[in-house]
Amino acid sequence: MRIVIAPDSMKGSLRADEVAAALAAGVHRVDPHIACHLIPLSDGGEGFTAALAPAMAARIVHTSVTNPLGEPWPAAFAICERPTGRLALIETAQAVGLDRLDNAKLDILTATSYGLGELIGAALDHGARDILIGLGGSATNDGGAGMLAALGAKFYDAHGAPLQVRPHDLRACRTIDLTDLDSRLANVRIRAACDVTNALLGPAGAAATFAPQKGASQPEVADLEAMLTALCHARVIGATVELGSQLPRCAATPGAGAAGGIGWALCAFLRASAEAGITLVSEILGLASAIAGADVVFTAEGAIDAQSAMGKVIGGLAQLCARYDRPLIAFGGRIEPEAAALYDAGVSALMPIVTRPSTPAQARNHARANLTAAAEAITRILRIAPPGDNEHKIAL
């Protein structure tokens, strides 16, 4: 039996490579001779650089950037040589990651994406001509304004007074000045790997959908929506091309709401293309061919819910497994009732890994052991009726 193990990370617990190793350990408890092909994945969020850098022979570059609270913290990106020039891998969560913060200190109305702009600038300093940015796991909802400010953009109110680049103040934005935007960006291709398909504005937009996950109250959600709307309809000066009509048009692009609206800023101002993160990562890692040669596929995610099918690792894997008629078993630290819709999307089985009453902290602390035990249990079932055994096959 050949098993492809292709999990996402489990936020606050384990990196994707650690999740993969824990699942493989469970398989090998049953039979150490079962072939396991470990492919740690990322949909653009945490672990994006770690998943891609080894496959692309990229070297890690360490630096320091401004975190969402305006304080310095360490961050890293990766650089590799490609036939088309030097390529940089940038993970938004490295610069503005929610998991890296003490949530008690986070004020979503002042949190900035400035550090991501600094990472982009550092990649330009290292000669990057292509930049691949993983969006996801951000602690900000500033529409990418902080990122743009770090790259030279300026923001003004209706009277021409400069604004502090934070959501609380940007509600008054009427003009965005790109005169001093880093000129090197004109010669760089940027691709944004999105982990969601949400637009920028509206009931399924960045503020309404994701800001509450970052601690925003309903009044704050309304303030953030007003701020994003103001940015979307601001007058743009100093651009080499007319951007007036492009801003609201890009706001409707799938993925514009990713990372608190950073997806929109990248597309609207930096000519980036927005792509499904799991699709892009799968192509780079050769995931399709690995699945085609497997008997069964294991994946995992910290919380499996309705969003898991929308641009996330599990949704992307389900499509590939359906294409090659391979069973997909998804392990989850928490499986919400609405996740049952994933069965129609191509998931064969949802396997909870927590088997006893636990606090969230206990579940995180025991994630590795729980994953291993769950993988062992599923593998024992598969040994009773291996995938491909048409005579005795069990419908997973």
Side-chain angles (χ1 to χ4, degrees):
M1 184 163 54
R2 294 161 298 179
I3 302 177
V4 165
I5 300 178
D8 199 351
S9 61
M10 286 189 161
K11 292 182 179 180
S13 289
L14 300 170
R15 301 188 309 268
D17 60 319
E18 294 173 325
V19 174
L23 291 171
V27 172
H28 290 148
R29 278 185 184 176
V30 180
D31 185 346
H33 301 294
I34 293 176
C36 292
H37 186 179
L38 277 57
I39 310 177
L41 295 177
S42 169
D43 50 24
E46 300 88 344
F48 180 74
T49 301
L52 291 184
M56 301 179 75
R59 63 184 176 90
I60 303 297
V61 178
H62 296 278
T63 185
S64 176
V65 300
T66 302
N67 75 7
L69 306 179
E71 303 165 346
W73 71 3
F77 62 97
I79 284 283
C80 64
E81 302 296 337
R82 306 289 281 179
T84 55
R86 190 164 291 178
L87 180 143
L89 297 170
I90 292 177
E91 181 179 313
T92 297
Q94 277 283 313
V96 295
L98 183 62
D99 279 358
R100 298 188 64 188
L101 283 176
D102 177 353
N103 287 1
K105 296 181 179 179
L106 179 62
D107 178 358
I108 195 64
L109 293 183
T110 61
T112 178
S113 62
Y114 196 90
L116 178 59
E118 292 176 314
L119 267 189
I120 294 172
L124 296 174
D125 292 341
H126 279 74
R129 299 298 300 271
D130 283 282
I131 299 178
L132 185 55
I133 301 179
L135 301 183
S138 77
T140 61
N141 205 109
D142 69 351
M147 172 194 72
L148 293 172
L151 294 169
K154 297 180 176 63
F155 300 80
Y156 300 94
D157 66 14
H159 304 290
L163 294 168
Q164 291 193 57
V165 187
R166 55 186 190 179
H168 178 76
D169 299 279
L170 288 170
R171 288 176 297 177
C173 181
R174 297 296 179 269
T175 301
I176 302 173
D177 185 356
L178 301 182
T179 302
D180 295 326
L181 192 69
D182 195 318
S183 61
R184 296 174 295 180
L185 292 165
N187 300 312
V188 172
R189 182 178 69 144
I190 299 177
R191 287 175 291 167
C194 302
D195 65 342
V196 296
T197 56
N198 301 67
L200 179 69
L201 303 172
T209 305
F210 304 116
Q213 301 172 10
K214 304 169 187 179
S217 65
Q218 283 308 304
E220 289 173 331
V221 168
D223 286 344
L224 291 167
E225 182 77 5
M227 179 272 301
L228 294 173
T229 302
L231 290 179
C232 197
H233 293 92
R235 181 173 66 108
V236 181
I237 61 175
T240 56
V241 295
E242 174 57 45
L243 294 180
S245 62
Q246 183 169 310
L247 302 192
R249 185 171 67 250
C250 287
T253 302
I262 291 173
W264 168 75
L266 288 170
C267 295
F269 296 94
L270 304 186
R271 301 171 293 106
S273 60
E275 306 177 33
I278 182 57
T279 301
L280 194 152
V281 170
S282 297
E283 291 174 357
I284 292 174
L285 298 181
L287 190 58
S289 61
I291 289 175
D295 294 304
V296 63
V297 179
F298 286 1
T299 189
E301 192 171 293
I304 302 177
D305 53 26
Q307 291 187 20
S308 296
M310 299 186 294
K312 300 289 187 178
V313 163
I314 292 178
L317 279 173
Q319 293 179 17
L320 285 174
C321 288
R323 181 190 307 171
Y324 295 103
D325 193 24
R326 298 295 186 268
L328 172 64
I329 299 172
F331 298 82
R334 186 178 77 251
I335 298 177
E336 300 294 347
E338 63 268 23
L342 289 167
Y343 290 129
D344 294 329
V347 174
S348 302
L350 297 170
M351 181 67 179
I353 68 170
V354 178
T355 58
R356 67 185 68 182
S358 304
T359 66
Q362 289 171 331
R364 288 192 295 270
N365 291 337
H366 295 104
R368 191 188 307 269
N370 289 340
L371 280 164
T372 298
E376 178 184 358
I378 286 291
T379 304
R380 292 192 183 280
I381 295 173
L382 293 175
R383 294 269 290 180
I384 297 171
D389 184 342
N390 293 324
E391 184 177 354
H392 303 291
K393 189 170 183 180
I394 293 176
L396 295 172

